[in-house]
Amino acid sequence: MHFAYPILKGKLPTDNNLYELFSKISLKQKDLILPLFIADDHAKQISSSNYFKKIPYSYVTQYIDNMIQKGITSIIIFGTPRKKSGSLQNNTEYIPNDMVTNSIKRISSEFKKKVTIFTDICICQDNPFGHCGITTDKTNHAENDMTLKILGRLSLEYAKAGSDYISPSSMMDGQVRYLRSILNDNGYRNTKILSFSAKHNSSLYAPFRNNMFINITSDYSIDKSNYQVSFFNPHETIREIQTDINEGADMVMIKPSMFYLDLVYRIKRKIEVPMVVQNVSGEYYLFKAGIKNSIIFNEKFSILLFLESIKNAGADKIISYFSPDFVQYLK
Ligand SMILES: [Zn+2]
């Protein structure tokens, strides 16, 4: 590919002085959370042609062991669509994902204290409409309270398996309060909550959806505007985060990162709980495509700048697909 503008290759740092740059940045290994997508054992073939790695269930502990060696200290587990449980519509007897439950059990018993486990709590991967809440028709109107009951069952199951944090990402009203009381009532007071408080309605999730939902829906442009936050209303973002803190969230999250750093900066100054920022799939793809097409040079330096800018804006922790690369650069 050829570009009409000059590319200032010579101005970028070399690998030699990158070492010095890495020693000066404020982002640390412990600030990064690695997303982990657990799938059945056919996952390798599915993921071979893209940047996403679905980890086959039988390979999970080996993979985590490898990531711990690299320097990863936190993971967030996501389930991927299951073949037979796609018929979630009106199904309040939603069955937790065994592959997720058993992976939490294996990771928490084998790597105790070496890795903090966060587990995503949502139903979209098994919902035929791809929505994060139960929808009783083809509209995007999610049945809030019906969905909360399912999220409660999932949270208990994954807390019991050994997840340190449960991470509700459905954006249902009152989800933190509801899940906190369910956990407390069942003896899981020590299980903490990282709430996906301000999940902006964004096209930057498309690579994730295209990869993860490929088996269950042909419509990748799912309209979640009824329950996700609008880019055009920063006050709503602030309100969502404040509400989750009032309801008992131990950590809050804002996503995506790239075009929302003004909000990260503003919100960090208003709150006292740790704030997580998710660097989402579309942002990751933009970088990877830029590197592949020689638009972005010096991958290490570019990733460093990107992640450090999120940290500087106010993120206490960053969920990022770049985590395995970054922790290695820090060594
Ligand atoms: Zn969801």
Side-chain angles (χ1 to χ4, degrees):
M1 195 179 283
H2 296 284
F3 297 95
Y5 53 87
I7 293 166
L8 303 175
K9 251 176 158 177
K11 302 265 183 186
L12 291 170
T14 62
D15 261 13
N16 287 342
N17 55 28
L18 260 183
Y19 176 77
E20 204 189 322
L21 277 175
F22 270 97
S23 67
K24 286 179 183 160
I25 63 167
S26 58
L27 186 63
K28 302 285 180 270
Q29 286 179 335
K30 66 175 176 48
D31 302 330
L32 289 157
I33 304 175
L34 170 72
L36 177 66
F37 301 98
I38 297 170
D40 63 30
D41 286 350
H42 301 293
K44 265 186 182 155
Q45 289 92 2
I46 300 167
S47 65
S48 61
S49 63
N50 59 52
Y51 298 127
F52 277 102
K53 265 201 185 105
K54 288 181 190 172
I55 306 302
Y57 171 65
S58 58
Y59 178 61
V60 162
T61 46
Q62 202 183 326
Y63 178 76
I64 294 298
D65 192 26
N66 186 8
M67 288 296 123
I68 291 172
Q69 304 293 332
K70 283 190 176 189
I72 291 291
T73 59
S74 297
I75 56 169
I76 180 159
I77 298 177
F78 295 85
T80 56
R82 289 170 284 171
K83 276 188 191 130
K84 288 213 162 170
S85 57
S87 56
L88 181 66
Q89 192 182 14
N90 286 333
N91 179 9
T92 48
E93 295 307 313
Y94 182 68
I95 302 158
N97 187 330
D98 277 351
M99 281 184 290
V100 172
T101 309
N102 293 331
S103 297
I104 298 168
K105 283 183 186 164
R106 288 166 65 188
I107 296 166
S108 63
S109 66
E110 218 161 301
F111 306 106
K112 228 179 183 70
K113 308 281 177 214
K114 285 188 184 161
V115 66
T116 302
I117 306 173
F118 296 78
T119 307
D120 176 66
I121 305 289
C122 198
I123 60 168
C124 50
Q125 63 270 39
D126 286 314
N127 188 336
F129 301 121
H131 278 294
C132 299
I134 294 284
T135 45
T136 51
D137 51 35
K138 290 220 167 187
T139 67
N140 62 356
H141 178 77
E143 296 289 336
N144 197 84
D145 294 357
M146 208 187 270
T147 306
L148 286 184
K149 285 192 177 136
I150 296 176
L151 302 183
R153 273 199 291 280
L154 290 178
S155 299
L156 266 189
E157 172 82 6
Y158 300 148
K160 197 169 149 193
S163 191
D164 299 294
Y165 285 78
I166 54 135
S167 307
S169 62
S170 288
M171 294 291 294
M172 293 297 115
D173 290 342
Q175 62 182 12
V176 174
R177 179 180 292 120
Y178 182 78
L179 298 180
R180 184 70 272 159
S181 75
I182 292 256
L183 289 171
N184 290 356
D185 292 349
N186 286 275
Y188 296 100
R189 282 185 178 275
N190 292 332
T191 305
K192 297 190 172 87
I193 298 180
L194 158 64
S195 183
F196 284 56
S197 309
K199 200 172 171 182
H200 288 89
N201 188 26
S202 168
S203 58
L204 286 169
Y205 311 132
F208 167 79
R209 285 185 194 156
N210 291 355
N211 280 281
M212 294 304 159
F213 296 162
I214 202 154
N215 294 332
I216 56 167
T217 177
S218 55
D219 179 12
Y220 303 136
S221 55
I222 308 161
D223 177 13
K224 302 194 177 191
S225 58
N226 259 0
Y227 45 92
Q228 293 190 345
V229 188
S230 166
F231 171 78
F232 300 102
N233 190 355
H235 295 293
E236 189 189 355
T237 305
I238 295 167
R239 208 167 43 239
E240 290 282 357
I241 286 179
Q242 205 60 63
T243 302
D244 281 358
I245 294 170
N246 296 343
E247 290 185 10
D250 298 280
M251 288 188 193
V252 290
M253 194 220 282
I254 180 165
K255 67 188 274 189
S257 65
M258 211 173 191
F259 305 118
Y260 299 83
L261 295 183
D262 59 326
L263 286 170
V264 173
Y265 183 83
R266 281 168 66 183
I267 291 162
K268 180 63 189 168
R269 271 138 200 85
K270 284 180 186 283
I271 65 173
E272 291 189 349
V273 304
M275 181 161 61
V276 180
V277 178
Q278 184 167 357
N279 168 217
V280 305
S281 61
E283 301 169 51
Y284 179 73
Y285 262 50
L286 279 175
F287 257 70
K288 285 288 181 186
I291 289 158
K292 194 176 165 197
N293 291 298
S294 306
I295 299 165
I296 294 175
F297 290 96
N298 200 326
E299 184 169 5
K300 285 184 188 173
F301 179 63
S302 307
I303 294 172
L304 177 153
L305 278 187
F306 188 15
L307 296 182
E308 180 72 354
S309 72
I310 303 170
K311 173 82 181 174
N312 282 342
D316 293 290
K317 288 186 183 294
I318 303 171
I319 299 178
S320 177
Y321 300 99
F322 289 119
S323 301
D325 298 324
F326 194 81
V327 291
Q328 274 206 310
Y329 301 161
L330 288 178
K331 283 194 165 176

